[in-house]
Amino acid sequence: MFSVTGLNGASSNGSINVKDAGLIGMITLRGDLKSDAIAKVIKVVTGTNIPDQRQCVFTSKGATAWMSPDELLVMVDYESVDATIAKMEKSLQGVHSLIVNVSDARAVFELTGSSIRDVISKGSPADMSSKILPVGEVRRTRIAQLAVAFWFTSDTTARLVCFRSVAGYVMDWLENASEKGSEVGFH
Amino acid sequence: MLNFRCPNCEITADETDLHCDGQAHIERFGAGASDDDLETYLFMRHNPKGVHFERWRHVFGCGKWFNAARCTVTLEVFGTYSAQSLVPPKSLINKIKKKRPEWEGFVK
Amino acid sequence: MKRYSAFAIAKNALSHHQGWERAWAKPQMKKEYDAVIVGAGGHGLATAFYLGKNYGITNVAIIEKGWLGGGNTGRNTTIIRSNYLQDPSAAIYEKARSLYETMSQDLNYNVMFSPRGVMMLAQTEAEIRGYKRTAHANKLQGVKTEYIGPQKVKDLCPIIELSGPRYPVLGALWQPRGGTARHDAVAWGYARACSEMGMDIIQQCEVTGVTQSRGKVTGLQTSKGDIKCKKLGIVVAGNSGHLAEMAGFRLPLESVALQALVSEPIKPCMDVVVMANTVHGYMSQSDKGEMVIGGGTDGFNNYTQRGSFHHLEETVRALIETFPMVSRLKMLRHWGGIVDVTGDRSPIISKTPLSGCFINCGWGTGGFKAIPGSGWAMAELMAKDEQTGLGAQFGLNRFQEGRFIDESVAAGVAH
Ligand SMILES: Cc1cc2nc3c(=O)[nH]c(=O)nc-3n(C[C@H](O)[C@H](O)[C@H](O)COP(=O)(O)OP(=O)(O)OC[C@H]3O[C@@H](n4cnc5c(N)ncnc54)[C@H](O)[C@@H]3O)c2cc1C
Ligand SMILES: [Zn+2]
């Protein structure tokens, strides 16, 4: 099978660098995040603990992001999604849970630069200060009229996820908001 | 701008991240209920000038519902609490009473 | 009272216009009235007017907490149309529209009714079907409307962008005798006529309580003292829930803020009213040249008479899509009004659990167009104490009986 991302490798280089993060395996897991069974399965597939509220945690194997009190986003290699899901379903047999492959339903952006917070602020109501949104914390909110989630992986790098069907629009939006000469210098 | 602290993800979000779904703590009636009860459940709404208990959903955020107490005249938000509560928490009611001594209290 | 006429203007010019008398009196409140109307908006004043004109009841007071016409009547975007889907609505709105045609003569007051035509754009397949259905229904109801194609839309309003960035214009429901009127003048004209009939308009007087005895209304408490009345009409739009609470009953409605804005005046560029319900915005041009603009309501109960900023943003976005030329316009003023919205988006003209107390409310985002028809029906209800005539179907009991007058599907934006 041949897969492409919704962004098909798009990138732009304005006040920040915006680029297609490529194919990423993404699995939504819903269930009781306090249960041992779920903690165990997360440890096995990504190597992480269950993240605290709103956190995104990583290991070399994968990442786990807290999306809501009963929802995690499990990120692994794109190629290993089917195997991972099979593993999860097997070990969660009998445990109330929901596991869905959303890899191709999302688009992921890699943002790099020192003014990412300013750029996103141009179209999101989220408080982008580093005190409210420190590195490693996930924010689910909107950009323009669209649902997005993002988190900083370092002071100058962040990931942003949106629905695949609006990937082109979000790309245009980010490119526009980071156009050179439009820097705000607030954050 | 209206801001609420979502009790589910504990983030303060503005109204554009949220959706309001009207009066909270509505008693539900189904088939076999009296005309009066059904009418009240479906159509009759508290519409006070003042303290209002209502349901909100953190649509663009964690996606979860919560309840809030808000003043419809000043837009002051007194507090938010779990959507699973049958009545507003005592502490919230006391807090509102302190701020609005003339308030008649929570009525279902 | 002296009649207004061209001759009167000429005559008064000779005395440098110092000789005009007040349009309405400033009376002292009496102790008792046959009927008291709470709320001197268009609907309250029209109710009083038809109580006098159609039923000879003139011992009437109209009590207003602010100034007359200062509620939604003075805040709306004045669209007048009667292209509703359901029979009872079409009947009352068409009655109102036809009364608008002769209102200036009837009241001897220029309300500047301008039947310039109203079009509601169809921008989705579903809207095409919906509007065709309405046009057919209107034909049966005797309301003159027509479904028109995109070319006719462009002919009638050249500044519309037919291809639209999000939604193309596929056609429209066109009511050639719909239009606009001067909102303040409607209130002032009725006020002058009521005053002339000897009715008392008491302004700056807030109703704070309703007194009753054995299930029957006996009077009111107000900020200017108590008064007695045999009949009470509550006509306070967004404040209806609040007044109903005083009278001891609940209403199936919620009060929300609706906003409007006007631009700087520009040369005449559109001579029809255009409503674009899918993108959620509508516009007309006032006689002063300002573009008069409105959009949707906020999604939460609100009494602050101002709405959320993002709704304004949405409205402006919708307009720029529909009329790209307005993108450079500066907006002059922006305001909000509290509208009372019912479950079926139709009004309530009804007897209440309290005998002698009647309510007229629920006109929501679109009651300006209904003012004369609503007053006509409310006066009949109050005079006869019977749910009959034009208002017969608009009783409160319809919610219990499941007998809705469902206009919510017919129009997302119902101004
Ligand atoms: C922004 C906006 C745009 C609109 N656009 C349109 C449109 O294009 N076309 C259309 O047909 N309709 C439109 N409407 C709706 C229309 O304005 C209303 O339906 C109509 O004006 C209601 O008239 P009313 O007389 O019932 O209420 P109001 O004019 O609001 O009058 C009610 C009066 O009651 C008084 N009152 C309230 N409480 C008390 C009290 N306790 N004691 C004494 N007095 C009290 C208030 O001060 C007020 O003056 C719009 C409304 C708004 C807000
Ligand atoms: Zn939340």
Coordinates of all heavy atoms in Angstrom, one line a residue, chain B residues 49, chain C residues 38-45 63-81 84 93 205-208 235-240 242-243 246 257-260 282 294 335-340 360-361 363-371 414-415, ligand 1:
Chain B
K49 N -33.1 37.0 35.2 CA -32.2 38.1 35.1 C -31.3 38.0 36.3 O -31.7 38.3 37.5 CB -33.0 39.4 35.3 CG -33.3 40.1 34.0 CD -34.0 41.4 34.3 CE -33.6 42.4 33.2 NZ -34.5 43.6 33.3
Chain C
V38 N -47.8 46.9 29.7 CA -46.4 47.0 30.2 C -45.5 46.9 28.9 O -45.5 45.9 28.2 CB -46.0 46.0 31.2 CG1 -44.6 46.3 31.8 CG2 -47.0 45.8 32.3
G39 N -44.7 48.0 28.7 CA -43.8 48.0 27.6 C -44.3 48.9 26.5 O -45.3 48.6 25.8
A40 N -43.6 50.0 26.3 CA -43.9 50.9 25.2 C -43.0 50.7 24.0 O -42.4 51.6 23.5 CB -43.9 52.3 25.6
G41 N -42.9 49.4 23.6 CA -42.2 49.1 22.3 C -43.3 49.2 21.2 O -44.5 49.5 21.5
G42 N -43.0 48.8 20.0 CA -43.9 48.8 18.9 C -45.2 47.9 19.3 O -46.3 48.3 19.1
H43 N -44.9 46.7 19.8 CA -46.0 45.8 20.1 C -47.0 46.3 21.1 O -48.2 46.2 21.0 CB -45.5 44.4 20.4 CG -44.8 43.7 19.3 ND1 -45.4 42.7 18.6 CD2 -43.7 43.9 18.6 CE1 -44.6 42.3 17.6 NE2 -43.6 43.0 17.6
G44 N -46.4 46.9 22.2 CA -47.2 47.4 23.3 C -48.1 48.6 22.8 O -49.3 48.7 23.1
L45 N -47.4 49.5 22.1 CA -48.1 50.7 21.6 C -49.2 50.3 20.6 O -50.3 50.9 20.6 CB -47.1 51.7 21.0 CG -46.1 52.4 22.0 CD1 -44.9 53.0 21.3 CD2 -46.9 53.4 22.9
I63 N -47.0 51.5 30.3 CA -46.0 51.8 31.3 C -44.6 51.3 30.7 O -44.5 50.2 30.2 CB -46.2 51.0 32.6 CG1 -47.6 51.1 33.0 CG2 -45.2 51.4 33.6 CD1 -47.9 52.3 33.8
E64 N -43.7 52.2 30.7 CA -42.4 51.9 30.0 C -41.2 52.3 31.0 O -41.2 53.4 31.5 CB -42.2 52.8 28.8 CG -40.9 52.8 28.1 CD -40.3 51.5 27.8 OE1 -41.0 50.7 27.2 OE2 -39.1 51.2 28.2
K65 N -40.3 51.3 31.2 CA -39.3 51.5 32.2 C -38.2 52.5 31.7 O -37.6 53.2 32.4 CB -38.6 50.2 32.6 CG -37.7 49.6 31.6 CD -36.9 48.5 32.2 CE -36.2 47.8 31.1 NZ -35.5 46.6 31.5
G66 N -38.0 52.5 30.4 CA -37.0 53.5 29.8 C -37.7 54.6 29.0 O -38.6 55.3 29.6
W67 N -37.4 54.7 27.8 CA -38.1 55.6 26.9 C -38.9 54.9 25.9 O -38.4 53.8 25.5 CB -37.2 56.7 26.4 CG -36.2 56.2 25.4 CD1 -36.2 56.1 24.1 CD2 -34.9 55.6 25.8 NE1 -35.1 55.5 23.6 CE2 -34.3 55.2 24.6 CE3 -34.2 55.4 27.0 CZ2 -33.0 54.6 24.6 CZ3 -33.0 54.8 27.0 CH2 -32.4 54.4 25.8
L68 N -40.0 55.4 25.3 CA -40.8 54.6 24.4 C -40.0 54.3 23.1 O -39.3 55.2 22.6 CB -42.1 55.3 24.1 CG -42.2 56.6 23.3 CD1 -42.3 56.3 21.8 CD2 -43.4 57.4 23.8
G69 N -40.1 53.1 22.7 CA -39.3 52.7 21.5 C -37.8 52.5 21.7 O -37.1 52.3 20.8
G70 N -37.4 52.4 23.0 CA -36.0 52.3 23.3 C -35.6 50.9 23.4 O -34.4 50.6 23.6
G71 N -36.5 49.9 23.3 CA -36.1 48.5 23.4 C -35.8 48.0 22.0 O -35.2 48.8 21.2
N72 N -36.2 46.8 21.7 CA -35.8 46.2 20.4 C -36.4 47.0 19.2 O -35.9 47.0 18.1 CB -36.3 44.8 20.3 CG -35.4 43.9 21.3 OD1 -34.4 44.4 21.7 ND2 -35.9 42.7 21.5
T73 N -37.6 47.7 19.5 CA -38.2 48.5 18.4 C -37.2 49.5 17.9 O -37.2 49.8 16.7 CB -39.5 49.1 18.9 OG1 -40.4 48.0 19.4 CG2 -40.2 49.9 17.9
G74 N -36.4 50.1 18.8 CA -35.5 51.1 18.3 C -34.1 50.5 18.0 O -33.1 51.3 17.8
R75 N -34.0 49.2 18.0 CA -32.6 48.6 17.8 C -32.6 47.6 16.7 O -31.6 47.0 16.4 CB -32.3 47.7 19.1 CG -32.0 48.6 20.3 CD -32.1 47.8 21.6 NE -32.0 48.7 22.7 CZ -30.9 49.0 23.3 NH1 -29.8 48.5 22.9 NH2 -30.9 49.9 24.3
N76 N -33.7 47.5 16.0 CA -33.7 46.4 14.9 C -33.4 46.9 13.6 O -33.2 48.1 13.3 CB -35.1 45.7 15.0 CG -36.2 46.5 14.3 OD1 -36.4 46.4 13.1 ND2 -36.8 47.4 15.0
T77 N -33.3 46.0 12.7 CA -32.8 46.3 11.3 C -34.0 46.5 10.3 O -33.8 46.4 9.1 CB -31.8 45.3 10.8 OG1 -32.4 44.0 11.1 CG2 -30.5 45.4 11.5
T78 N -35.2 46.5 10.9 CA -36.4 47.0 10.2 C -36.8 46.2 8.9 O -37.5 46.7 8.1 CB -36.4 48.5 9.8 OG1 -35.6 48.6 8.6 CG2 -35.9 49.3 10.9
I79 N -36.5 44.9 8.9 CA -36.9 44.1 7.7 C -38.4 43.8 7.9 O -38.8 43.3 8.9 CB -36.1 42.9 7.5 CG1 -34.6 43.2 7.2 CG2 -36.6 42.0 6.4 CD1 -33.7 42.1 7.1
I80 N -39.2 44.0 6.8 CA -40.6 43.7 6.8 C -40.8 42.7 5.7 O -40.5 43.0 4.5 CB -41.4 45.0 6.7 CG1 -41.2 45.9 7.9 CG2 -42.9 44.6 6.5 CD1 -41.8 47.3 7.7
R81 N -41.4 41.6 6.1 CA -41.7 40.5 5.1 C -42.8 39.7 5.7 O -43.0 39.7 6.9 CB -40.5 39.7 4.7 CG -39.9 39.0 5.9 CD -38.6 38.2 5.5 NE -38.1 37.6 6.8 CZ -38.5 36.4 7.2 NH1 -39.3 35.6 6.4 NH2 -38.1 35.9 8.3
Y84 N -43.7 33.6 5.4 CA -43.5 32.6 6.3 C -44.1 31.3 5.8 O -44.9 31.3 4.9 CB -44.1 33.0 7.7 CG -43.2 33.9 8.5 CD1 -43.0 35.2 8.1 CD2 -42.5 33.5 9.6 CE1 -42.2 36.1 8.7 CE2 -41.6 34.3 10.3 CZ -41.5 35.6 9.8 OH -40.7 36.5 10.5
Y93 N -48.4 37.8 9.8 CA -47.3 38.7 9.2 C -47.8 39.4 8.0 O -47.5 40.6 7.7 CB -46.1 37.9 8.9 CG -45.3 37.4 10.1 CD1 -45.3 36.1 10.6 CD2 -44.5 38.4 10.8 CE1 -44.6 35.7 11.7 CE2 -43.8 38.0 12.0 CZ -43.9 36.7 12.4 OH -43.1 36.3 13.5
C205 N -40.7 54.5 34.1 CA -41.5 53.9 35.2 C -41.4 52.4 35.0 O -41.9 51.8 34.1 CB -42.9 54.4 35.1 SG -44.0 53.6 36.3
E206 N -40.7 51.7 36.0 CA -40.5 50.3 35.8 C -41.5 49.5 36.6 O -41.8 49.8 37.8 CB -39.1 49.9 36.4 CG -38.8 48.4 36.3 CD -37.3 48.1 36.4 OE1 -36.5 49.0 36.6 OE2 -37.0 46.9 36.3
V207 N -42.1 48.5 36.0 CA -43.0 47.6 36.7 C -42.2 46.7 37.5 O -41.3 46.0 37.0 CB -43.9 46.9 35.7 CG1 -44.7 45.8 36.4 CG2 -44.8 47.8 35.0
T208 N -42.5 46.6 38.8 CA -41.7 45.7 39.7 C -42.5 44.6 40.3 O -41.9 43.7 40.9 CB -41.1 46.6 40.8 OG1 -42.2 47.3 41.5 CG2 -40.1 47.6 40.3
V235 N -46.1 43.2 27.4 CA -45.5 43.2 26.0 C -44.1 43.7 26.1 O -43.8 44.8 25.7 CB -46.4 44.1 25.1 CG1 -46.1 43.8 23.7 CG2 -47.9 43.9 25.4
V236 N -43.2 42.9 26.7 CA -41.9 43.4 27.0 C -40.7 42.6 26.4 O -39.6 42.7 26.8 CB -41.7 43.4 28.6 CG1 -42.6 44.5 29.2 CG2 -41.9 42.1 29.2
A237 N -41.0 41.9 25.3 CA -40.0 41.2 24.5 C -39.0 40.4 25.4 O -39.4 39.6 26.2 CB -39.2 42.2 23.6
G238 N -37.7 40.8 25.4 CA -36.7 40.1 26.1 C -36.9 40.0 27.6 O -36.4 39.1 28.3
N239 N -37.7 40.9 28.2 CA -37.9 40.9 29.6 C -39.2 40.1 30.0 O -39.6 40.1 31.2 CB -38.1 42.3 30.1 CG -36.7 43.0 30.2 OD1 -36.0 42.8 31.2 ND2 -36.4 43.8 29.2
S240 N -39.8 39.4 29.1 CA -41.0 38.6 29.3 C -40.9 37.6 30.4 O -41.8 37.5 31.3 CB -41.5 38.0 28.0 OG -41.7 38.9 27.0
H242 N -39.0 37.6 32.9 CA -38.9 38.3 34.2 C -40.3 38.8 34.7 O -40.6 38.7 35.8 CB -38.0 39.5 33.9 CG -37.5 40.3 35.1 ND1 -37.0 39.6 36.2 CD2 -37.6 41.6 35.4 CE1 -36.7 40.5 37.1 NE2 -37.0 41.7 36.6
L243 N -41.1 39.4 33.7 CA -42.4 39.8 34.1 C -43.3 38.7 34.4 O -44.2 38.7 35.3 CB -43.0 40.7 32.9 CG -42.9 42.2 33.0 CD1 -43.8 42.8 34.0 CD2 -41.5 42.7 33.2
M246 N -43.0 37.6 37.9 CA -43.8 38.5 38.8 C -45.2 38.1 38.8 O -45.9 38.2 39.9 CB -43.7 40.0 38.3 CG -42.3 40.6 38.4 SD -42.4 42.3 37.8 CE -40.7 42.6 37.4
A257 N -29.0 37.7 23.2 CA -28.6 39.0 22.6 C -28.5 38.8 21.1 O -28.0 37.8 20.6 CB -27.3 39.5 23.1
L258 N -29.1 39.8 20.4 CA -29.0 39.9 18.9 C -28.3 41.2 18.6 O -28.6 42.2 19.2 CB -30.3 39.7 18.3 CG -30.4 39.9 16.7 CD1 -29.7 38.7 16.1 CD2 -31.8 39.9 16.3
Q259 N -27.4 41.2 17.6 CA -26.6 42.4 17.3 C -26.9 42.9 15.9 O -27.3 42.2 15.1 CB -25.1 42.1 17.5 CG -24.7 41.5 18.8 CD -23.2 41.2 18.8 OE1 -22.4 42.1 18.9 NE2 -22.9 39.9 18.7
A260 N -26.6 44.2 15.8 CA -26.7 44.8 14.5 C -25.6 45.8 14.4 O -25.0 46.3 15.4 CB -28.0 45.4 14.2
Y282 N -27.2 39.6 6.8 CA -28.2 40.3 5.9 C -27.9 41.8 5.9 O -27.3 42.3 6.8 CB -29.6 40.0 6.3 CG -30.0 40.4 7.7 CD1 -30.5 41.7 7.9 CD2 -29.9 39.6 8.8 CE1 -30.9 42.2 9.1 CE2 -30.2 40.0 10.0 CZ -30.7 41.3 10.2 OH -31.1 41.7 11.5
G294 N -27.1 42.9 9.9 CA -27.4 42.0 11.1 C -27.0 40.6 10.9 O -26.7 40.2 9.8
W335 N -24.6 47.6 18.1 CA -25.4 47.5 19.3 C -26.1 46.2 19.4 O -26.0 45.4 18.5 CB -26.5 48.6 19.3 CG -27.5 48.5 18.2 CD1 -28.7 47.8 18.3 CD2 -27.4 49.0 16.9 NE1 -29.3 47.9 17.1 CE2 -28.6 48.6 16.2 CE3 -26.4 49.7 16.2 CZ2 -28.8 48.9 14.9 CZ3 -26.7 50.0 14.9 CH2 -27.9 49.6 14.2
G336 N -26.7 45.9 20.5 CA -27.4 44.7 20.7 C -28.8 44.9 21.3 O -29.0 45.9 21.9
G337 N -29.7 43.9 21.2 CA -31.0 44.0 21.8 C -31.2 42.6 22.4 O -30.7 41.6 21.9
I338 N -32.1 42.5 23.4 CA -32.4 41.2 24.0 C -33.7 40.7 23.4 O -34.8 41.3 23.5 CB -32.6 41.4 25.5 CG1 -31.3 41.9 26.1 CG2 -32.9 40.0 26.1 CD1 -30.0 41.2 25.7
V339 N -33.6 39.6 22.7 CA -34.7 39.0 22.0 C -35.2 37.7 22.7 O -34.3 37.0 23.3 CB -34.4 38.7 20.5 CG1 -34.1 40.0 19.8 CG2 -33.3 37.7 20.4
D340 N -36.4 37.5 22.7 CA -37.1 36.4 23.4 C -37.4 35.3 22.4 O -38.3 35.4 21.6 CB -38.3 36.9 24.1 CG -39.1 37.9 23.3 OD1 -38.6 38.4 22.3 OD2 -40.3 38.1 23.5
N360 N -47.9 38.9 25.3 CA -47.5 39.0 23.9 C -46.0 39.1 23.9 O -45.4 40.0 24.3 CB -48.1 40.3 23.3 CG -47.7 40.5 21.8 OD1 -46.6 40.1 21.4 ND2 -48.6 41.1 21.1
C361 N -45.4 38.0 23.4 CA -43.9 37.9 23.4 C -43.4 36.8 22.5 O -44.2 36.3 21.7 CB -43.4 37.6 24.9 SG -44.0 35.9 25.4
W363 N -41.4 37.1 20.0 CA -41.2 37.6 18.6 C -39.7 37.4 18.2 O -39.4 37.5 17.0 CB -41.6 39.0 18.4 CG -43.1 39.1 18.5 CD1 -43.8 39.5 19.7 CD2 -44.1 38.8 17.6 NE1 -45.1 39.5 19.4 CE2 -45.4 39.0 18.2 CE3 -44.1 38.4 16.2 CZ2 -46.6 38.8 17.5 CZ3 -45.2 38.2 15.6 CH2 -46.5 38.4 16.2
G364 N -38.9 37.2 19.2 CA -37.5 36.8 18.9 C -36.8 37.8 18.1 O -36.8 39.0 18.3
T365 N -36.2 37.3 17.0 CA -35.3 38.1 16.2 C -36.1 38.8 15.1 O -35.5 39.5 14.2 CB -34.2 37.3 15.5 OG1 -34.9 36.2 14.8 CG2 -33.3 36.6 16.6
G366 N -37.4 38.6 15.0 CA -38.1 39.1 13.8 C -39.5 39.7 14.1 O -40.4 39.5 13.3
G367 N -39.7 40.5 15.1 CA -41.0 41.0 15.4 C -41.3 42.4 15.0 O -42.4 42.8 15.1
F368 N -40.3 43.1 14.4 CA -40.6 44.5 14.0 C -41.7 44.4 12.9 O -42.6 45.2 12.9 CB -39.4 45.2 13.5 CG -39.6 46.5 12.9 CD1 -39.9 47.6 13.8 CD2 -39.6 46.8 11.6 CE1 -40.2 48.9 13.3 CE2 -39.9 48.0 11.0 CZ -40.2 49.1 11.9
K369 N -41.5 43.5 11.9 CA -42.4 43.4 10.8 C -43.8 43.1 11.2 O -44.8 43.3 10.5 CB -41.9 42.3 9.9 CG -41.9 40.9 10.6 CD -41.5 39.8 9.6 CE -40.1 39.7 9.4 NZ -39.2 39.4 10.6
A370 N -44.0 42.6 12.5 CA -45.3 42.1 12.9 C -46.0 43.1 13.7 O -47.2 42.9 14.1 CB -45.1 40.8 13.7
I371 N -45.4 44.3 14.0 CA -46.0 45.2 15.0 C -47.5 45.5 14.8 O -48.3 45.2 15.7 CB -45.1 46.5 15.1 CG1 -43.9 46.2 15.9 CG2 -45.9 47.6 15.7 CD1 -42.8 47.3 15.9
A414 N -34.2 34.6 11.2 CA -35.6 34.9 11.0 C -35.9 36.4 11.3 O -36.8 36.7 12.0 CB -36.5 34.0 11.9
H415 N -35.2 37.3 10.6 CA -35.5 38.7 10.9 C -36.6 39.3 10.1 O -36.9 38.8 9.1 CB -34.2 39.5 10.7 CG -33.1 39.0 11.5 ND1 -32.8 39.2 12.8 CD2 -32.1 38.1 11.1 CE1 -31.8 38.5 13.2 NE2 -31.3 37.8 12.2
Ligands
LIG1 C1 -30.5 43.7 16.5 C2 -31.9 43.4 16.2 C3 -32.3 43.3 14.8 C4 -33.6 43.0 14.5 N1 -34.0 43.0 13.2 C5 -35.3 42.8 12.9 C6 -35.7 42.9 11.6 O1 -35.0 43.2 10.7 N2 -37.1 42.7 11.3 C7 -38.0 42.4 12.2 O2 -39.1 42.2 11.9 N3 -37.6 42.3 13.6 C8 -36.3 42.5 13.9 N4 -35.9 42.4 15.2 C9 -36.9 42.0 16.3 C10 -37.7 43.2 16.7 O3 -36.9 44.3 17.0 C11 -38.5 42.8 17.9 O4 -39.2 41.6 17.7 C12 -39.6 43.9 18.2 O5 -39.0 45.2 18.1 C13 -40.1 43.6 19.5 O6 -41.0 44.7 19.9 P1 -41.6 44.8 21.3 O7 -42.5 46.0 21.3 O8 -42.2 43.5 21.6 O9 -40.3 44.9 22.3 P2 -39.4 46.2 22.7 O10 -39.4 47.2 21.6 O11 -38.2 45.7 23.2 O12 -40.3 46.8 23.8 C14 -40.4 46.3 25.1 C15 -40.4 47.4 26.1 O13 -40.7 46.9 27.4 C16 -40.0 47.6 28.3 N5 -39.9 46.9 29.6 C17 -39.2 45.8 29.8 N6 -39.4 45.5 31.1 C18 -40.2 46.4 31.7 C19 -40.7 46.6 33.0 N7 -40.4 45.8 34.0 N8 -41.5 47.7 33.2 C20 -41.7 48.6 32.2 N9 -41.3 48.4 31.0 C21 -40.5 47.4 30.7 C22 -38.7 47.8 27.6 O14 -38.0 48.9 28.2 C23 -39.0 48.0 26.2 O15 -39.1 49.4 25.8 C24 -34.6 42.7 15.6 C25 -34.1 42.8 16.9 C26 -32.8 43.1 17.2 C27 -32.4 43.2 18.7

